[in-house]
Amino acid sequence: MDVNKMTVSINKAINTQEVAVKEKHARTCILGTHHEKGAQTFWSVVNRLPLSSNAVLCWKFCHVFHKLLRDGHPNVLKDSLRYKNELSDMSRMWGHLSEGYGQLCSIYLRLLRTKMEYHTKNPRFPGNLQMSDRQLDEAGESDVNNFFQLTVEMFDYLECELNLFQTVFNSLDMSRSVSVTTAGQCRLAPLIQVILDCSHLYDYTVKLLFKLHSCLPADTLQGHRDRFMEQFTKLKDLFYRSSNLQYFKRLIQIPQLPENPPNFLRASALSEHISPVVVIPAEASSPDSEPVLEKDDLVDMDASQQNLFDNKFDDIFGSSFSSDPFNFNSQNGVNKDEKDHLIGQLYRDVTELKAQLGSMKTESQRAVLQLKGRVSELEAELAEQRHLRQQAADDSEFLRAELDELKKKREDTEKAQRSLTEIERRAQANEQRYSKLKEKYSELVQNHADLLRKNAEVTKQVSVARQAQADLEREKKELEDSFQRISDQAQRKTQEQTEVLESLKQELATSKQELQIVQGSLETSAQSEAKWAAQIAELEKERGSLAHAVARREEELAALQEQLEHTRRELTSAKESECQLAKDQRRMLLAESRKAAEQVVREALRKLEEPTLISCAGSADHLLSKVKSVSSCIEQLEESWSRYLACPEDVSGLLHSVTLLAHLTSDTMAHVSTTCLRAPPEPADSLAEACKQFGKEILLYLAFLEEEGTQENDSTAVKSCLNKISTIAEELRPRGLDIKQEELGDLVDKEMAATSAAIETATARIEEMLSKSRAGDTGVKLEVNERILGSCTSLMQAIQVLIVASKDLQREIVESGRGTASPKEFYAKNSRWTEGLISASKAVGWGATIMVDAADLVVQGRGKFEELMVCSHEIAASTAQLVAASKVKADKDSPNLAQLQQASRGVNQATATVVASTISGKSQIEETDNMDFSSMTLTQIKRQEMDSQVRVLELENDLQKERQKLGELRKKHYELAGVAEGWEEGTEASPPALHEVVTEKE
């Protein structure tokens, strides 16, 4: 077969149209695998398809791949094993979507992975699972342990099939004829392969269970029987519902399971078992072809037309012609030529009538088919109109709520207007009071001025004495200063000078005492001016004697000043030499820093091609942040260079900038090398070449720092290289999740609404699980389930209260911060904050869904209590992230903020209650599940002991690996979330910090 033809068939079979895969294209793909004895061409075409971005495309890929695993060449499984991890990653990615084809693709991919693992582990089973009883016995190798393990694996296999079966039915609106619409047929078409697998798996499971019951005690197989009963009930219901769909009636004959399941405790019941057989009619091989007129219909039409002709012939020529229509000898009165002519005319009429009848029947059937198609289209349109009507009703309700809110705001505005009028009236009254107070103040100022004039006349009389006192104080201070300087410089003077200074100190002390006496007399009485004058005269005489002593000390002071001037000149010369030395040292330090920077850059250029970086992988977003840091550092270096030229002593900023530029350049080159690993070849080569040119330009740029007299350091070439790297990195950024800023506002509302809907759905599911548990469980299990589900319900209610409080706070923030702009413009302007809200809302909705799934599994006895506790902690962290993202721009005194914080505390308390109830329920269940070793032999106990020791070692090893994996996942999550949401830009509340807080609470 031509490879191009197979490629075309694969692209036609796997497309984005929501219609079922055409059988002829799938058949061509299957024949192609047998022709090339493998699936190389299939995977080479599929790897170029955007399976991660289009759910319908991924769904049709799963359908075709399922067909190839069943009916393709056996080497299809071997060629597909290398892509098993990619299928698992894609399954987890689609599992985050709760609507549309997201969950369907996730479950289908999980089924395909299970099918691949099953057939790899059990190579005796063909892809279509068709094998005889002898081959089934050979698969177990006559070992009961192998049959036991094989049954468990079949249960897991069948459970994945039933999960997909049930999910497809749940995604359809069974109230309408969905099987006749193209969208419904697109979802139902893969179930034909699922029905074929389920029929064989059910048959083999029944036979293996009978075989196990013939070898093992019935109590040992109680778990197998319970699991079989559950799957039997589901499969019987799904087969019954499928057989009633119009789409399956013309494509496949679905068997019906017996009313009661087989009784495995009675060995003779095996003879009563009838293997379910799925029959695919021959005409169902091409469901997409046009209906044509069947040959049997034409034969029936010819027979009926012939009977009509015979009756007419008997009426005209008599009944004898019915036995021998060509015997004309007994006919009287009619010429033979006329008979021949009449017979020929009749035959021609009959032929024309046959042709007309055939064309009319064909036209009528075509018209019927067209009318059926039109009916299907009209039903689809009717459903769409109903959906639009419901949507219009929802919009009307929303607008009505907005109208009520606007009316409330108008009433608040009127109240504010009335309050403003009252405030203006009070302001006028206050202004009148102010005028009266101003007049009183003027009078007080005038009185105060009169008193000041009188006080001036009184104080003028004391001014002379105070002036003399001030002169004495000034001279005293000058003498003290002079004495201090002289005492410091003349410590080696003679004893005579010391005695003179002592006498001067005594005289100064006496003067101070007398001066204090004068001051006291000045303060006590203003009438003793004569006495003061006499004392002042005496002080004048003493001042004269002191002036004579000062003159002598001034001569000594002149000599000391000359000596001091000589010492200053020597100090100045020493400082100049020290300044020159410091300048040389700064220049040498700058040169050494430049050399070190050049060495770092050269080392980074050398490491671009080293194999040590090949195992790393970087992102274009991280590279852009590094390029931005280098640009900022270059601008800082230019400013530091300008300051250094203006003031050579200021060299610290320049040294810091040179060192920072070298390390940022090296870091940027390393990120360029790691980013090239994820980039296509051509952009990767361009990016590597631009990085090398950037390193060379950096070296030239640093060389300018060593040249003397350089006034300007041109960085145009370096910035040009950075712009080129930024342009290439922008082209390498992922475009699948980009959101226009004008759509952010709508997206916030949608995400908050989706989160509320997810919480409501989770609450309804918990109520449903609680009802089922009360109906089917008793005793300790019912008590534990009620406690756990009750705490989960309380947690969901607390989260719903928190979401409402978050909405109110966000509305308050938008209203207070947007001014005259619209809410959408406010969200677009604060895009980082908006993206944080979106991320937090998604995390809350996802966490609620995961926690409900975990609770469902725990209630059914198939889940782990630890998983429920982890989900509780995760949803608490998500709500904490939503609280932090909501209150970033909020006013600290806002009542809505206080309400949000109160709701957050309620969520934390509810989370603690869930964890406590889970731990309590786990311990209570474990107490009731005590092991009974009374019936075991010594050998069996020893074997169990060894198995337990092996299991303990395995669990300890798995625990260590999972802890390491958890650390790496959290680290990678923080890196990716930081790049996507701008944590590197210094947001006020980053999810990593919030997660650490929640972890501490754990």
Side-chain angles (χ1 to χ4, degrees):
M1 178 180 290
D2 189 5
V3 176
N4 294 330
K5 182 178 180 182
M6 185 176 178
T7 303
V8 172
S9 298
I10 294 172
N11 288 324
K12 287 184 178 180
I14 306 174
N15 54 43
T16 58
Q17 298 179 0
E18 195 175 3
V19 296
V21 176
K22 291 189 176 182
E23 188 66 26
K24 60 181 180 181
H25 300 321
R27 186 164 51 249
T28 303
C29 298
I30 294 172
L31 294 176
T33 60
H34 287 281
H35 182 265
E36 68 175 6
K37 295 182 174 56
Q40 294 88 352
T41 304
F42 173 76
W43 282 109
S44 64
V45 175
V46 168
N47 286 333
R48 296 193 294 267
L49 297 176
L51 301 179
S52 299
S53 59
N54 191 298
V56 177
L57 194 70
C58 183
W59 176 255
K60 300 179 80 171
F61 154 74
C62 294
H63 185 190
V64 176
F65 184 41
H66 196 172
K67 278 180 169 287
L68 294 183
L69 290 176
R70 281 187 52 83
D71 303 326
H73 194 273
N75 289 335
V76 171
L77 177 62
K78 298 179 181 178
D79 295 339
S80 304
L81 288 176
R82 71 185 68 174
Y83 303 101
K84 186 169 65 173
N85 293 332
E86 297 181 8
L87 296 179
S88 299
D89 296 339
M90 199 183 305
S91 174
R92 285 193 295 270
M93 188 273 293
W94 284 117
H96 296 306
L97 297 180
S98 58
E99 297 180 356
Y101 282 89
Q103 286 293 328
L104 296 179
C105 292
S106 176
I107 296 174
Y108 208 162
L109 289 167
R110 197 179 307 134
L111 167 61
L112 294 176
R113 178 185 172 92
T114 304
K115 185 177 181 68
M116 293 167 63
E117 292 176 348
Y118 179 83
H119 289 287
T120 302
K121 192 173 181 180
N122 303 283
R124 295 178 182 268
F125 285 81
N128 56 11
L129 295 173
Q130 294 181 1
M131 59 192 310
S132 62
D133 293 343
R134 183 178 59 82
Q135 292 173 332
L136 183 62
D137 293 337
E138 293 176 354
E141 299 177 354
S142 301
D143 188 353
V144 66
N145 294 324
N146 294 340
F147 285 122
F148 190 92
Q149 182 63 28
L150 188 60
T151 306
V152 174
E153 294 172 358
M154 282 189 179
F155 279 145
D156 297 338
Y157 193 174
L158 184 57
E159 187 170 342
C160 291
E161 301 274 2
L162 294 175
N163 192 13
L164 177 61
F165 215 141
Q166 186 66 46
T167 306
V168 171
F169 271 78
N170 292 339
S171 67
L172 297 174
D173 185 3
M174 303 307 293
S175 63
R176 300 188 295 113
S177 300
V178 293
S179 64
V180 298
T181 63
T182 56
Q185 292 175 2
C186 181
R187 301 193 183 194
L188 292 173
L191 295 186
I192 296 177
Q193 312 300 318
V194 176
I195 292 171
L196 292 171
D197 288 345
C198 290
S199 63
H200 292 298
L201 291 173
Y202 169 77
D203 184 34
Y204 301 153
T205 304
V206 172
K207 293 176 180 178
L208 290 177
L209 284 176
F210 273 111
K211 187 179 293 293
L212 289 174
H213 278 79
S214 64
C215 302
L216 297 175
D219 295 340
T220 306
L221 300 173
Q222 181 62 42
H224 281 50
R225 290 197 301 273
D226 294 341
R227 196 170 183 185
F228 174 81
M229 285 296 299
E230 180 182 357
Q231 294 184 354
F232 173 81
T233 304
K234 290 183 179 179
L235 186 61
K236 179 181 177 181
D237 179 63
L238 292 173
F239 273 8
Y240 176 75
R241 294 170 65 184
S242 302
S243 61
N244 294 327
L245 291 179
Q246 185 67 29
Y247 176 70
F248 288 128
K249 288 183 179 179
R250 64 187 184 89
L251 296 178
I252 187 172
Q253 294 182 6
I254 303 174
Q256 297 299 322
L257 299 184
E259 184 66 25
N260 298 317
N263 185 4
F264 299 110
L265 301 178
R266 185 167 55 88
S268 60
L270 178 60
S271 60
E272 302 173 1
H273 170 66
I274 300 176
S275 300
V277 179
V278 179
V279 179
I280 299 180
E283 61 271 13
S285 60
S286 299
D288 53 309
S289 60
E290 291 290 337
V292 296
L293 197 62
E294 299 294 338
K295 184 177 179 181
D296 295 339
D297 296 337
L298 294 176
V299 172
D300 294 340
M301 181 191 69
D302 292 343
S304 61
Q305 188 67 24
Q306 183 65 36
N307 292 333
L308 179 62
F309 169 73
D310 291 343
N311 293 333
K312 288 184 178 181
F313 198 84
D314 292 342
D315 293 340
I316 296 174
F317 300 102
S319 60
S320 61
F321 287 95
S322 62
S323 60
D324 188 4
F326 298 101
N327 184 12
F328 301 106
N329 295 327
S330 61
Q331 189 73 13
N332 296 323
V334 181
N335 194 350
K336 184 177 182 180
D337 294 335
E338 293 179 358
K339 292 178 181 178
D340 294 338
H341 178 72
L342 182 59
I343 291 172
Q345 181 66 32
L346 290 174
Y347 271 114
R348 286 192 295 273
D349 294 341
V350 168
T351 304
E352 291 178 0
L353 289 173
K354 286 181 179 180
Q356 292 177 4
L357 182 61
S359 61
M360 290 176 63
K361 193 170 184 179
T362 304
E363 289 294 334
S364 64
Q365 290 195 358
R366 184 179 292 110
V368 168
L369 290 175
Q370 290 178 354
L371 290 174
K372 287 182 178 179
R374 182 58 180 167
V375 168
S376 301
E377 293 177 359
L378 291 175
E379 289 178 350
E381 291 180 0
L382 179 60
E384 184 177 0
Q385 292 296 329
R386 289 175 178 172
H387 176 68
L388 292 176
R389 184 183 65 183
Q390 183 64 31
Q391 187 176 1
D394 295 339
D395 294 341
S396 175
E397 185 66 25
F398 177 73
L399 293 175
R400 187 177 295 107
E402 283 192 346
L403 180 60
D404 295 338
E405 186 176 356
L406 289 175
K407 289 181 179 178
K408 184 178 179 181
K409 288 183 178 179
R410 186 180 65 182
E411 294 176 357
D412 295 340
T413 304
E414 292 177 353
K415 292 180 180 177
Q417 187 66 31
R418 289 193 296 269
S419 300
L420 180 61
T421 305
E422 181 66 21
I423 290 171
E424 290 178 352
R425 186 182 61 78
R426 293 178 180 176
Q428 291 178 356
N430 291 332
E431 188 174 358
Q432 293 176 358
R433 294 193 190 97
Y434 173 74
S435 300
K436 295 179 180 179
L437 291 174
K438 190 175 180 180
E439 294 176 356
K440 294 289 184 181
Y441 176 73
S442 300
E443 295 177 359
L444 291 175
V445 168
Q446 185 65 34
N447 296 333
H448 185 259
D450 296 339
L451 292 174
L452 286 177
R453 282 194 297 270
K454 293 178 181 179
N455 185 44
E457 293 175 357
V458 174
T459 56
K460 187 176 181 180
Q461 299 174 0
V462 193
S463 60
V464 177
R466 289 186 176 178
Q467 183 65 34
Q469 180 186 358
D471 292 341
L472 289 175
E473 286 289 339
R474 185 170 58 255
E475 290 176 0
K476 181 189 68 172
K477 186 172 180 60
E478 290 176 357
L479 288 174
E480 289 178 352
D481 294 340
S482 300
F483 173 74
Q484 186 65 30
R485 289 194 299 271
I486 293 171
S487 62
D488 292 338
Q489 297 294 330
Q491 292 179 356
R492 293 175 294 178
K493 293 296 182 177
T494 59
Q495 186 65 27
E496 181 182 359
Q497 291 175 338
T498 304
E499 295 176 356
V500 173
L501 288 175
E502 287 296 333
S503 63
L504 288 174
K505 288 180 180 180
Q506 292 176 1
E507 293 176 359
L508 287 173
T510 304
S511 300
K512 288 180 180 180
Q513 293 176 359
E514 294 177 353
L515 183 59
Q516 290 176 357
I517 294 172
V518 172
Q519 289 176 348
S521 62
L522 285 174
E523 291 175 357
T524 55
S525 176
Q527 299 177 358
S528 58
E529 293 183 2
K531 184 179 181 180
W532 289 347
Q535 292 178 355
I536 289 172
E538 293 177 358
L539 291 174
E540 286 291 340
K541 294 178 182 180
E542 292 178 0
R543 188 179 66 175
S545 62
L546 290 174
H548 180 68
V550 169
R552 286 183 300 168
R553 294 295 175 262
E554 284 180 354
E555 294 176 359
E556 297 174 0
L557 183 60
L560 292 175
Q561 286 179 349
E562 183 178 356
Q563 183 180 359
L564 179 61
E565 187 65 26
H566 177 70
T567 305
R568 285 178 178 174
R569 287 194 297 269
E570 292 179 354
L571 182 60
T572 302
S573 61
K575 286 184 177 179
E576 290 177 355
S577 60
E578 184 181 356
C579 181
Q580 183 65 28
L581 180 60
K583 185 175 182 182
D584 295 337
Q585 290 178 350
R586 286 194 296 269
R587 186 180 294 107
M588 185 181 300
L589 184 60
L590 179 60
E592 292 297 330
S593 298
R594 183 193 62 78
K595 291 179 182 178
E598 290 180 351
Q599 184 178 0
V600 171
V601 175
R602 288 193 178 93
E603 184 69 15
L605 285 172
R606 185 180 63 81
K607 287 184 177 180
L608 280 177
E609 303 298 333
E610 283 191 358
T612 55
L613 295 176
I614 298 303
S615 61
C616 304
S619 64
D621 291 328
H622 203 180
L623 177 58
L624 287 173
S625 67
K626 293 297 178 184
V627 171
K628 186 176 180 181
S629 300
V630 174
S631 300
S632 301
C633 184
I634 291 175
E635 295 177 358
Q636 181 181 354
L637 178 59
E638 291 177 348
E639 295 177 359
S640 300
W641 178 254
S642 300
R643 290 197 298 270
Y644 173 71
L645 293 178
C647 181
E649 291 80 7
D650 187 9
V651 74
S652 59
L654 183 59
L655 294 178
H656 172 73
S657 299
V658 170
T659 306
L660 181 61
L661 177 61
H663 288 285
L664 287 178
T665 301
S666 174
D667 198 12
T668 302
M669 290 180 179
H671 279 84
V672 167
S673 178
T674 56
T675 304
C676 290
L677 297 178
R678 289 186 176 178
E682 185 175 352
D685 294 340
S686 302
L687 186 59
E689 188 63 29
C691 181
K692 293 177 182 178
Q693 184 64 28
F694 168 64
K696 295 176 182 178
E697 293 296 338
I698 283 290
L699 292 175
L700 294 176
Y701 180 71
L702 292 174
F704 281 105
L705 300 178
E706 192 176 10
E707 299 179 3
E708 290 290 339
T710 303
Q711 296 297 325
E712 293 185 0
N713 203 353
D714 191 7
S715 61
T716 305
V718 177
K719 292 180 179 178
S720 177
C721 293
L722 286 176
N723 291 334
K724 187 174 181 181
I725 293 175
S726 299
T727 303
I728 299 174
E730 284 289 348
E731 295 176 355
L732 294 177
R733 292 182 66 188
R735 305 297 181 187
L737 299 177
D738 289 346
I739 302 174
K740 296 181 180 179
Q741 286 193 346
E742 55 268 17
E743 299 176 359
L744 284 175
D746 296 335
L747 190 57
V748 170
D749 297 335
K750 291 180 181 178
E751 288 299 335
M752 295 299 290
T755 304
S756 300
I759 298 300
E760 294 175 358
T761 304
T763 305
R765 285 186 58 190
I766 292 173
E767 293 294 336
E768 181 181 355
M769 287 187 287
L770 185 58
S771 300
K772 291 182 178 179
S773 178
R774 288 172 177 170
D777 298 331
T778 57
V780 176
K781 187 175 182 181
L782 177 59
E783 179 183 354
V784 171
N785 291 345
E786 285 182 345
R787 190 186 309 123
I788 293 176
L789 294 177
S791 61
C792 291
T793 303
S794 301
L795 177 58
M796 292 301 162
Q797 293 173 354
I799 294 173
Q800 199 150 15
V801 172
L802 185 138
I803 291 174
V804 173
S806 176
K807 287 182 179 179
D808 295 338
L809 182 59
Q810 292 169 23
R811 189 180 298 111
E812 177 185 328
I813 292 171
V814 173
E815 291 297 331
S816 62
R818 67 186 181 93
T820 58
S822 63
K824 291 184 179 180
E825 294 174 351
F826 178 80
Y827 282 123
K829 181 179 179 182
N830 300 273
S831 59
R832 287 296 184 190
W833 176 67
T834 305
E835 290 172 0
L837 290 177
I838 294 172
S839 175
S841 300
K842 288 182 178 179
V844 172
W846 176 80
T849 304
I850 295 300
M851 195 192 76
V852 173
D853 293 338
D856 192 7
L857 294 175
V858 168
V859 170
Q860 294 178 9
R862 296 183 293 142
K864 298 180 180 179
F865 289 93
E866 291 79 6
E867 183 177 358
L868 182 58
M869 288 188 285
V870 170
C871 292
S872 301
H873 289 308
E874 190 66 28
I875 199 171
S878 302
T879 53
Q881 179 182 351
L882 178 60
V883 171
S886 299
K887 72 178 184 179
V888 164
K889 294 184 176 295
D891 186 4
K892 63 180 181 179
D893 297 328
S894 172
N896 289 327
L897 176 59
Q899 186 177 1
L900 178 64
Q901 293 173 342
Q902 181 65 27
S904 176
R905 288 190 288 270
V907 171
N908 292 334
Q909 294 175 358
T911 304
T913 304
V914 172
V915 174
S917 60
T918 304
I919 295 174
S920 175
K922 179 183 177 182
S923 61
Q924 197 169 358
I925 291 294
E926 289 176 350
E927 290 176 359
T928 59
D929 293 340
N930 293 326
M931 297 184 179
D932 185 12
F933 301 107
S934 59
S935 61
M936 297 177 64
T937 63
L938 177 62
T939 304
Q940 291 175 340
I941 291 177
K942 186 63 178 178
R943 178 63 181 271
Q944 290 288 339
E945 180 181 357
M946 294 176 63
D947 292 342
S948 298
Q949 291 177 354
V950 171
R951 183 59 177 164
V952 167
L953 294 176
E954 290 177 351
L955 290 175
E956 289 177 350
N957 189 21
D958 293 341
L959 177 61
Q960 184 66 23
K961 291 181 180 178
E962 287 299 325
R963 283 177 175 170
Q964 295 177 356
K965 182 179 178 181
L966 177 61
E968 294 296 329
L969 286 174
R970 282 183 175 175
K971 180 179 179 182
K972 191 65 178 176
H973 171 251
Y974 296 158
E975 290 177 357
L976 295 178
V979 172
E981 300 182 11
W983 299 341
E984 295 180 355
E985 299 181 6
T987 53
E988 299 182 35
S990 60
L994 297 175
H995 201 284
E996 291 174 3
V997 171
V998 177
T999 306
E1000 291 178 0
K1001 291 182 178 179
E1002 295 175 8

